[in-house]
Amino acid sequence: MKSYRRGPVLLRGDQIPKSTTDARLLAPNQDSDWLHADPWRVMRIQAEFVEGFGALADLGPAVSIFGSARTKPENANYQLATDIAAKLVEHDFSVITGGGPGIMEAANKGAVDAKGISVGLGIELPFEQGMNDYVDLGINFRYFFIRKMMFVKYSLGFIVLPGGFGTLDELFEALTLVQTRKVMSFPVVLVDSGYWGGLVDWIKDKQVGEGMISPEDMDLITVVDTAEEALEAILKGISAVADKVNGKDEDGNRPNGT
């Protein structure tokens, strides 16, 4: 039987709603009746923040891996995501994904196989995805914006494999937050130059070329092709952020020469 998850609630049959919580929140032309008839909406939002913060507060250093839910196990990128996650665990990072199938499942599998902590941040969708079997710590969210907050707050870097609109959304959200200094700079690594090359060229030719972003904004993106390169880029990026926090220059020296 078809099932549907709304936060912690599992629904089936006639209980499945025709729209998601996010869709109802964002629907235009609403009257103000919900303020009186549904005062719990704000409380639900608050509760999701509290639940997420409480579950992840003691996670420790973590890296998020994004990519398509449609990637099959026989696809080379599935194994690549598995290998990247395993290497992250070897360097004492937890692995965070969206908790679904495809690249998310592959990354969670790599973390579990390497005896690391595997986290899945699920989301209520019109079609049921559910948590994959390799998630050790899973949280289901109603609201996309809360889920995104958890990715950014608890990750030291993003690794992005080929994906669709959702993957692009997560990628550009991260880049915008770093560019506008809403968050401390962290590494954003794109894996598979054959997939991302056209997008990166367009950003350089059009956005930089026409003055929509600054040339140095290109430094926010690193493109790699292997698991080893992805790990190296993440470690280098995290180290650079740590040096910046500690007031060190690119050579690891403080302004006073120490």
Side-chain angles (χ1 to χ4, degrees), residues 222-256:
T222 302
V223 183
V224 303
D225 285 300
T226 68
E228 292 78 12
E229 290 171 341
L231 176 66
E232 180 183 358
I234 280 290
L235 294 177
K236 182 178 179 180
I238 292 173
S239 177
V241 172
D243 286 344
K244 186 180 296 185
V245 170
N246 293 322
K248 296 181 179 180
D249 61 22
E250 292 182 356
D251 296 321
N253 299 315
R254 297 184 186 277
N256 63 4

PDB file of all heavy atoms in Angstrom, residues 222-256:
ATOM      1  N   THR A 222      35.090  24.058  -6.281  1.00  0.00           N
ATOM      2  CA  THR A 222      36.174  23.186  -6.708  1.00  0.00           C
ATOM      3  C   THR A 222      35.566  22.000  -7.449  1.00  0.00           C
ATOM      4  O   THR A 222      34.631  21.367  -6.949  1.00  0.00           O
ATOM      5  CB  THR A 222      36.989  22.666  -5.509  1.00  0.00           C
ATOM      6  OG1 THR A 222      37.510  23.775  -4.770  1.00  0.00           O
ATOM      7  CG2 THR A 222      38.148  21.797  -5.977  1.00  0.00           C
ATOM      8  N   VAL A 223      36.089  21.709  -8.639  1.00  0.00           N
ATOM      9  CA  VAL A 223      35.577  20.607  -9.456  1.00  0.00           C
ATOM     10  C   VAL A 223      36.611  19.480  -9.477  1.00  0.00           C
ATOM     11  O   VAL A 223      37.789  19.716  -9.757  1.00  0.00           O
ATOM     12  CB  VAL A 223      35.269  21.059 -10.889  1.00  0.00           C
ATOM     13  CG1 VAL A 223      34.669  19.906 -11.696  1.00  0.00           C
ATOM     14  CG2 VAL A 223      34.310  22.246 -10.882  1.00  0.00           C
ATOM     15  N   VAL A 224      36.165  18.262  -9.156  1.00  0.00           N
ATOM     16  CA  VAL A 224      37.058  17.105  -9.114  1.00  0.00           C
ATOM     17  C   VAL A 224      36.391  15.925  -9.811  1.00  0.00           C
ATOM     18  O   VAL A 224      35.222  15.998 -10.195  1.00  0.00           O
ATOM     19  CB  VAL A 224      37.404  16.725  -7.656  1.00  0.00           C
ATOM     20  CG1 VAL A 224      38.038  17.904  -6.927  1.00  0.00           C
ATOM     21  CG2 VAL A 224      36.159  16.248  -6.903  1.00  0.00           C
ATOM     22  N   ASP A 225      37.151  14.834  -9.938  1.00  0.00           N
ATOM     23  CA  ASP A 225      36.618  13.652 -10.619  1.00  0.00           C
ATOM     24  C   ASP A 225      36.734  12.363  -9.819  1.00  0.00           C
ATOM     25  O   ASP A 225      36.075  11.379 -10.148  1.00  0.00           O
ATOM     26  CB  ASP A 225      37.320  13.454 -11.973  1.00  0.00           C
ATOM     27  CG  ASP A 225      36.845  14.445 -13.016  1.00  0.00           C
ATOM     28  OD1 ASP A 225      35.639  14.447 -13.325  1.00  0.00           O
ATOM     29  OD2 ASP A 225      37.672  15.227 -13.516  1.00  0.00           O
ATOM     30  N   THR A 226      37.566  12.341  -8.793  1.00  0.00           N
ATOM     31  CA  THR A 226      37.782  11.096  -8.052  1.00  0.00           C
ATOM     32  C   THR A 226      37.472  11.280  -6.572  1.00  0.00           C
ATOM     33  O   THR A 226      37.409  12.405  -6.068  1.00  0.00           O
ATOM     34  CB  THR A 226      39.237  10.622  -8.195  1.00  0.00           C
ATOM     35  OG1 THR A 226      40.111  11.537  -7.515  1.00  0.00           O
ATOM     36  CG2 THR A 226      39.640  10.521  -9.664  1.00  0.00           C
ATOM     37  N   ALA A 227      37.321  10.162  -5.875  1.00  0.00           N
ATOM     38  CA  ALA A 227      37.076  10.206  -4.431  1.00  0.00           C
ATOM     39  C   ALA A 227      38.261  10.813  -3.704  1.00  0.00           C
ATOM     40  O   ALA A 227      38.097  11.580  -2.751  1.00  0.00           O
ATOM     41  CB  ALA A 227      36.799   8.794  -3.913  1.00  0.00           C
ATOM     42  N   GLU A 228      39.468  10.481  -4.158  1.00  0.00           N
ATOM     43  CA  GLU A 228      40.671  11.023  -3.530  1.00  0.00           C
ATOM     44  C   GLU A 228      40.729  12.538  -3.685  1.00  0.00           C
ATOM     45  O   GLU A 228      41.072  13.256  -2.736  1.00  0.00           O
ATOM     46  CB  GLU A 228      41.921  10.380  -4.146  1.00  0.00           C
ATOM     47  CG  GLU A 228      42.111   8.912  -3.837  1.00  0.00           C
ATOM     48  CD  GLU A 228      41.212   7.991  -4.671  1.00  0.00           C
ATOM     49  OE1 GLU A 228      40.609   8.485  -5.653  1.00  0.00           O
ATOM     50  OE2 GLU A 228      41.113   6.798  -4.335  1.00  0.00           O
ATOM     51  N   GLU A 229      40.388  13.032  -4.871  1.00  0.00           N
ATOM     52  CA  GLU A 229      40.396  14.473  -5.108  1.00  0.00           C
ATOM     53  C   GLU A 229      39.317  15.174  -4.291  1.00  0.00           C
ATOM     54  O   GLU A 229      39.530  16.278  -3.790  1.00  0.00           O
ATOM     55  CB  GLU A 229      40.188  14.756  -6.597  1.00  0.00           C
ATOM     56  CG  GLU A 229      41.365  14.356  -7.471  1.00  0.00           C
ATOM     57  CD  GLU A 229      41.047  14.448  -8.950  1.00  0.00           C
ATOM     58  OE1 GLU A 229      39.842  14.466  -9.305  1.00  0.00           O
ATOM     59  OE2 GLU A 229      41.991  14.477  -9.754  1.00  0.00           O
ATOM     60  N   ALA A 230      38.174  14.535  -4.150  1.00  0.00           N
ATOM     61  CA  ALA A 230      37.091  15.130  -3.353  1.00  0.00           C
ATOM     62  C   ALA A 230      37.515  15.266  -1.902  1.00  0.00           C
ATOM     63  O   ALA A 230      37.299  16.309  -1.260  1.00  0.00           O
ATOM     64  CB  ALA A 230      35.828  14.273  -3.465  1.00  0.00           C
ATOM     65  N   LEU A 231      38.125  14.222  -1.352  1.00  0.00           N
ATOM     66  CA  LEU A 231      38.598  14.269   0.030  1.00  0.00           C
ATOM     67  C   LEU A 231      39.661  15.344   0.193  1.00  0.00           C
ATOM     68  O   LEU A 231      39.618  16.129   1.155  1.00  0.00           O
ATOM     69  CB  LEU A 231      39.159  12.915   0.437  1.00  0.00           C
ATOM     70  CG  LEU A 231      39.774  12.855   1.837  1.00  0.00           C
ATOM     71  CD1 LEU A 231      38.703  13.065   2.904  1.00  0.00           C
ATOM     72  CD2 LEU A 231      40.494  11.532   2.053  1.00  0.00           C
ATOM     73  N   GLU A 232      40.605  15.400  -0.728  1.00  0.00           N
ATOM     74  CA  GLU A 232      41.673  16.401  -0.647  1.00  0.00           C
ATOM     75  C   GLU A 232      41.111  17.813  -0.673  1.00  0.00           C
ATOM     76  O   GLU A 232      41.538  18.679   0.091  1.00  0.00           O
ATOM     77  CB  GLU A 232      42.654  16.202  -1.803  1.00  0.00           C
ATOM     78  CG  GLU A 232      43.808  17.197  -1.814  1.00  0.00           C
ATOM     79  CD  GLU A 232      44.736  17.020  -3.005  1.00  0.00           C
ATOM     80  OE1 GLU A 232      44.511  16.101  -3.818  1.00  0.00           O
ATOM     81  OE2 GLU A 232      45.697  17.815  -3.129  1.00  0.00           O
ATOM     82  N   ALA A 233      40.116  18.050  -1.546  1.00  0.00           N
ATOM     83  CA  ALA A 233      39.521  19.385  -1.652  1.00  0.00           C
ATOM     84  C   ALA A 233      38.773  19.751  -0.368  1.00  0.00           C
ATOM     85  O   ALA A 233      38.849  20.906   0.089  1.00  0.00           O
ATOM     86  CB  ALA A 233      38.573  19.436  -2.846  1.00  0.00           C
ATOM     87  N   ILE A 234      38.076  18.793   0.215  1.00  0.00           N
ATOM     88  CA  ILE A 234      37.355  19.052   1.465  1.00  0.00           C
ATOM     89  C   ILE A 234      38.333  19.365   2.591  1.00  0.00           C
ATOM     90  O   ILE A 234      38.167  20.342   3.341  1.00  0.00           O
ATOM     91  CB  ILE A 234      36.465  17.848   1.836  1.00  0.00           C
ATOM     92  CG1 ILE A 234      35.179  17.879   1.016  1.00  0.00           C
ATOM     93  CG2 ILE A 234      36.122  17.857   3.323  1.00  0.00           C
ATOM     94  CD1 ILE A 234      34.200  18.986   1.376  1.00  0.00           C
ATOM     95  N   LEU A 235      39.366  18.555   2.734  1.00  0.00           N
ATOM     96  CA  LEU A 235      40.344  18.762   3.803  1.00  0.00           C
ATOM     97  C   LEU A 235      41.057  20.100   3.637  1.00  0.00           C
ATOM     98  O   LEU A 235      41.268  20.834   4.618  1.00  0.00           O
ATOM     99  CB  LEU A 235      41.363  17.620   3.818  1.00  0.00           C
ATOM    100  CG  LEU A 235      40.825  16.235   4.191  1.00  0.00           C
ATOM    101  CD1 LEU A 235      41.928  15.189   4.095  1.00  0.00           C
ATOM    102  CD2 LEU A 235      40.232  16.249   5.589  1.00  0.00           C
ATOM    103  N   LYS A 236      41.419  20.436   2.409  1.00  0.00           N
ATOM    104  CA  LYS A 236      42.088  21.704   2.147  1.00  0.00           C
ATOM    105  C   LYS A 236      41.162  22.872   2.460  1.00  0.00           C
ATOM    106  O   LYS A 236      41.569  23.868   3.068  1.00  0.00           O
ATOM    107  CB  LYS A 236      42.539  21.763   0.685  1.00  0.00           C
ATOM    108  CG  LYS A 236      43.288  23.045   0.319  1.00  0.00           C
ATOM    109  CD  LYS A 236      43.734  23.008  -1.139  1.00  0.00           C
ATOM    110  CE  LYS A 236      44.464  24.294  -1.515  1.00  0.00           C
ATOM    111  NZ  LYS A 236      44.894  24.264  -2.953  1.00  0.00           N
ATOM    112  N   GLY A 237      39.906  22.760   2.053  1.00  0.00           N
ATOM    113  CA  GLY A 237      38.946  23.831   2.300  1.00  0.00           C
ATOM    114  C   GLY A 237      38.662  24.029   3.775  1.00  0.00           C
ATOM    115  O   GLY A 237      38.598  25.160   4.257  1.00  0.00           O
ATOM    116  N   ILE A 238      38.497  22.935   4.511  1.00  0.00           N
ATOM    117  CA  ILE A 238      38.236  23.036   5.951  1.00  0.00           C
ATOM    118  C   ILE A 238      39.437  23.629   6.667  1.00  0.00           C
ATOM    119  O   ILE A 238      39.294  24.458   7.578  1.00  0.00           O
ATOM    120  CB  ILE A 238      37.880  21.652   6.522  1.00  0.00           C
ATOM    121  CG1 ILE A 238      36.519  21.191   5.981  1.00  0.00           C
ATOM    122  CG2 ILE A 238      37.865  21.675   8.049  1.00  0.00           C
ATOM    123  CD1 ILE A 238      36.154  19.773   6.357  1.00  0.00           C
ATOM    124  N   SER A 239      40.637  23.230   6.253  1.00  0.00           N
ATOM    125  CA  SER A 239      41.853  23.774   6.854  1.00  0.00           C
ATOM    126  C   SER A 239      41.966  25.273   6.599  1.00  0.00           C
ATOM    127  O   SER A 239      42.338  26.041   7.495  1.00  0.00           O
ATOM    128  CB  SER A 239      43.078  23.053   6.293  1.00  0.00           C
ATOM    129  OG  SER A 239      44.274  23.598   6.807  1.00  0.00           O
ATOM    130  N   ALA A 240      41.607  25.705   5.381  1.00  0.00           N
ATOM    131  CA  ALA A 240      41.675  27.130   5.046  1.00  0.00           C
ATOM    132  C   ALA A 240      40.699  27.940   5.892  1.00  0.00           C
ATOM    133  O   ALA A 240      41.028  29.047   6.341  1.00  0.00           O
ATOM    134  CB  ALA A 240      41.368  27.326   3.558  1.00  0.00           C
ATOM    135  N   VAL A 241      39.514  27.394   6.131  1.00  0.00           N
ATOM    136  CA  VAL A 241      38.536  28.077   6.970  1.00  0.00           C
ATOM    137  C   VAL A 241      39.049  28.182   8.402  1.00  0.00           C
ATOM    138  O   VAL A 241      38.932  29.227   9.050  1.00  0.00           O
ATOM    139  CB  VAL A 241      37.179  27.344   6.939  1.00  0.00           C
ATOM    140  CG1 VAL A 241      36.224  27.951   7.956  1.00  0.00           C
ATOM    141  CG2 VAL A 241      36.574  27.406   5.543  1.00  0.00           C
ATOM    142  N   ALA A 242      39.644  27.093   8.910  1.00  0.00           N
ATOM    143  CA  ALA A 242      40.183  27.100  10.270  1.00  0.00           C
ATOM    144  C   ALA A 242      41.286  28.145  10.414  1.00  0.00           C
ATOM    145  O   ALA A 242      41.355  28.856  11.427  1.00  0.00           O
ATOM    146  CB  ALA A 242      40.708  25.717  10.625  1.00  0.00           C
ATOM    147  N   ASP A 243      42.131  28.251   9.395  1.00  0.00           N
ATOM    148  CA  ASP A 243      43.195  29.254   9.441  1.00  0.00           C
ATOM    149  C   ASP A 243      42.618  30.666   9.451  1.00  0.00           C
ATOM    150  O   ASP A 243      43.115  31.552  10.150  1.00  0.00           O
ATOM    151  CB  ASP A 243      44.131  29.092   8.227  1.00  0.00           C
ATOM    152  CG  ASP A 243      45.037  27.879   8.352  1.00  0.00           C
ATOM    153  OD1 ASP A 243      45.157  27.349   9.476  1.00  0.00           O
ATOM    154  OD2 ASP A 243      45.611  27.453   7.332  1.00  0.00           O
ATOM    155  N   LYS A 244      41.558  30.858   8.674  1.00  0.00           N
ATOM    156  CA  LYS A 244      40.929  32.174   8.619  1.00  0.00           C
ATOM    157  C   LYS A 244      40.338  32.542   9.985  1.00  0.00           C
ATOM    158  O   LYS A 244      40.469  33.675  10.455  1.00  0.00           O
ATOM    159  CB  LYS A 244      39.839  32.193   7.545  1.00  0.00           C
ATOM    160  CG  LYS A 244      39.214  33.552   7.316  1.00  0.00           C
ATOM    161  CD  LYS A 244      38.137  33.484   6.240  1.00  0.00           C
ATOM    162  CE  LYS A 244      38.726  33.116   4.900  1.00  0.00           C
ATOM    163  NZ  LYS A 244      37.694  33.160   3.826  1.00  0.00           N
ATOM    164  N   VAL A 245      39.708  31.552  10.622  1.00  0.00           N
ATOM    165  CA  VAL A 245      39.133  31.784  11.948  1.00  0.00           C
ATOM    166  C   VAL A 245      40.220  32.136  12.950  1.00  0.00           C
ATOM    167  O   VAL A 245      40.049  33.004  13.816  1.00  0.00           O
ATOM    168  CB  VAL A 245      38.356  30.543  12.423  1.00  0.00           C
ATOM    169  CG1 VAL A 245      37.965  30.678  13.887  1.00  0.00           C
ATOM    170  CG2 VAL A 245      37.110  30.338  11.568  1.00  0.00           C
ATOM    171  N   ASN A 246      41.377  31.486  12.804  1.00  0.00           N
ATOM    172  CA  ASN A 246      42.484  31.715  13.737  1.00  0.00           C
ATOM    173  C   ASN A 246      43.383  32.870  13.324  1.00  0.00           C
ATOM    174  O   ASN A 246      44.437  33.094  13.930  1.00  0.00           O
ATOM    175  CB  ASN A 246      43.320  30.438  13.863  1.00  0.00           C
ATOM    176  CG  ASN A 246      42.561  29.318  14.537  1.00  0.00           C
ATOM    177  OD1 ASN A 246      41.802  29.556  15.470  1.00  0.00           O
ATOM    178  ND2 ASN A 246      42.742  28.086  14.055  1.00  0.00           N
ATOM    179  N   GLY A 247      42.995  33.579  12.263  1.00  0.00           N
ATOM    180  CA  GLY A 247      43.742  34.750  11.842  1.00  0.00           C
ATOM    181  C   GLY A 247      45.046  34.459  11.132  1.00  0.00           C
ATOM    182  O   GLY A 247      45.970  35.279  11.136  1.00  0.00           O
ATOM    183  N   LYS A 248      45.151  33.280  10.492  1.00  0.00           N
ATOM    184  CA  LYS A 248      46.384  32.916   9.786  1.00  0.00           C
ATOM    185  C   LYS A 248      46.259  33.218   8.303  1.00  0.00           C
ATOM    186  O   LYS A 248      45.159  33.242   7.741  1.00  0.00           O
ATOM    187  CB  LYS A 248      46.684  31.433   9.986  1.00  0.00           C
ATOM    188  CG  LYS A 248      46.971  31.044  11.430  1.00  0.00           C
ATOM    189  CD  LYS A 248      47.277  29.562  11.544  1.00  0.00           C
ATOM    190  CE  LYS A 248      47.578  29.169  12.982  1.00  0.00           C
ATOM    191  NZ  LYS A 248      47.877  27.711  13.097  1.00  0.00           N
ATOM    192  N   ASP A 249      47.428  33.436   7.650  1.00  0.00           N
ATOM    193  CA  ASP A 249      47.419  33.668   6.214  1.00  0.00           C
ATOM    194  C   ASP A 249      47.475  32.333   5.480  1.00  0.00           C
ATOM    195  O   ASP A 249      47.403  31.261   6.073  1.00  0.00           O
ATOM    196  CB  ASP A 249      48.579  34.580   5.803  1.00  0.00           C
ATOM    197  CG  ASP A 249      49.946  33.978   6.136  1.00  0.00           C
ATOM    198  OD1 ASP A 249      50.041  32.733   6.295  1.00  0.00           O
ATOM    199  OD2 ASP A 249      50.918  34.754   6.238  1.00  0.00           O
ATOM    200  N   GLU A 250      47.649  32.376   4.134  1.00  0.00           N
ATOM    201  CA  GLU A 250      47.617  31.156   3.339  1.00  0.00           C
ATOM    202  C   GLU A 250      48.758  30.204   3.684  1.00  0.00           C
ATOM    203  O   GLU A 250      48.696  29.010   3.409  1.00  0.00           O
ATOM    204  CB  GLU A 250      47.657  31.515   1.850  1.00  0.00           C
ATOM    205  CG  GLU A 250      46.392  32.222   1.368  1.00  0.00           C
ATOM    206  CD  GLU A 250      46.434  32.517  -0.110  1.00  0.00           C
ATOM    207  OE1 GLU A 250      47.495  32.235  -0.729  1.00  0.00           O
ATOM    208  OE2 GLU A 250      45.432  33.016  -0.645  1.00  0.00           O
ATOM    209  N   ASP A 251      49.865  30.739   4.249  1.00  0.00           N
ATOM    210  CA  ASP A 251      50.993  29.903   4.627  1.00  0.00           C
ATOM    211  C   ASP A 251      50.901  29.406   6.062  1.00  0.00           C
ATOM    212  O   ASP A 251      51.839  28.787   6.584  1.00  0.00           O
ATOM    213  CB  ASP A 251      52.304  30.687   4.447  1.00  0.00           C
ATOM    214  CG  ASP A 251      52.557  31.038   2.978  1.00  0.00           C
ATOM    215  OD1 ASP A 251      52.270  30.182   2.124  1.00  0.00           O
ATOM    216  OD2 ASP A 251      53.003  32.162   2.699  1.00  0.00           O
ATOM    217  N   GLY A 252      49.770  29.691   6.728  1.00  0.00           N
ATOM    218  CA  GLY A 252      49.588  29.245   8.105  1.00  0.00           C
ATOM    219  C   GLY A 252      50.212  30.133   9.134  1.00  0.00           C
ATOM    220  O   GLY A 252      50.326  29.765  10.308  1.00  0.00           O
ATOM    221  N   ASN A 253      50.638  31.359   8.734  1.00  0.00           N
ATOM    222  CA  ASN A 253      51.268  32.288   9.678  1.00  0.00           C
ATOM    223  C   ASN A 253      50.260  33.337  10.135  1.00  0.00           C
ATOM    224  O   ASN A 253      49.402  33.773   9.380  1.00  0.00           O
ATOM    225  CB  ASN A 253      52.456  32.997   9.016  1.00  0.00           C
ATOM    226  CG  ASN A 253      53.539  32.016   8.585  1.00  0.00           C
ATOM    227  OD1 ASN A 253      53.897  31.124   9.347  1.00  0.00           O
ATOM    228  ND2 ASN A 253      54.046  32.210   7.373  1.00  0.00           N
ATOM    229  N   ARG A 254      50.409  33.749  11.389  1.00  0.00           N
ATOM    230  CA  ARG A 254      49.593  34.845  11.902  1.00  0.00           C
ATOM    231  C   ARG A 254      50.176  36.181  11.431  1.00  0.00           C
ATOM    232  O   ARG A 254      51.352  36.248  11.033  1.00  0.00           O
ATOM    233  CB  ARG A 254      49.544  34.801  13.430  1.00  0.00           C
ATOM    234  CG  ARG A 254      48.875  33.546  13.973  1.00  0.00           C
ATOM    235  CD  ARG A 254      48.750  33.586  15.479  1.00  0.00           C
ATOM    236  NE  ARG A 254      48.229  32.323  16.009  1.00  0.00           N
ATOM    237  CZ  ARG A 254      46.939  32.024  16.050  1.00  0.00           C
ATOM    238  NH1 ARG A 254      46.050  32.877  15.606  1.00  0.00           N
ATOM    239  NH2 ARG A 254      46.551  30.863  16.539  1.00  0.00           N
ATOM    240  N   PRO A 255      49.377  37.237  11.473  1.00  0.00           N
ATOM    241  CA  PRO A 255      49.855  38.547  10.995  1.00  0.00           C
ATOM    242  C   PRO A 255      51.136  39.011  11.670  1.00  0.00           C
ATOM    243  O   PRO A 255      51.921  39.739  11.070  1.00  0.00           O
ATOM    244  CB  PRO A 255      48.680  39.485  11.320  1.00  0.00           C
ATOM    245  CG  PRO A 255      47.482  38.596  11.296  1.00  0.00           C
ATOM    246  CD  PRO A 255      47.966  37.278  11.840  1.00  0.00           C
ATOM    247  N   ASN A 256      51.379  38.604  12.927  1.00  0.00           N
ATOM    248  CA  ASN A 256      52.593  39.036  13.622  1.00  0.00           C
ATOM    249  C   ASN A 256      53.785  38.160  13.328  1.00  0.00           C
ATOM    250  O   ASN A 256      54.857  38.306  13.957  1.00  0.00           O
ATOM    251  CB  ASN A 256      52.335  39.105  15.130  1.00  0.00           C
ATOM    252  CG  ASN A 256      51.988  37.752  15.714  1.00  0.00           C
ATOM    253  OD1 ASN A 256      52.008  36.734  15.016  1.00  0.00           O
ATOM    254  ND2 ASN A 256      51.663  37.742  17.005  1.00  0.00           N
TER     255      ASN A 256
END
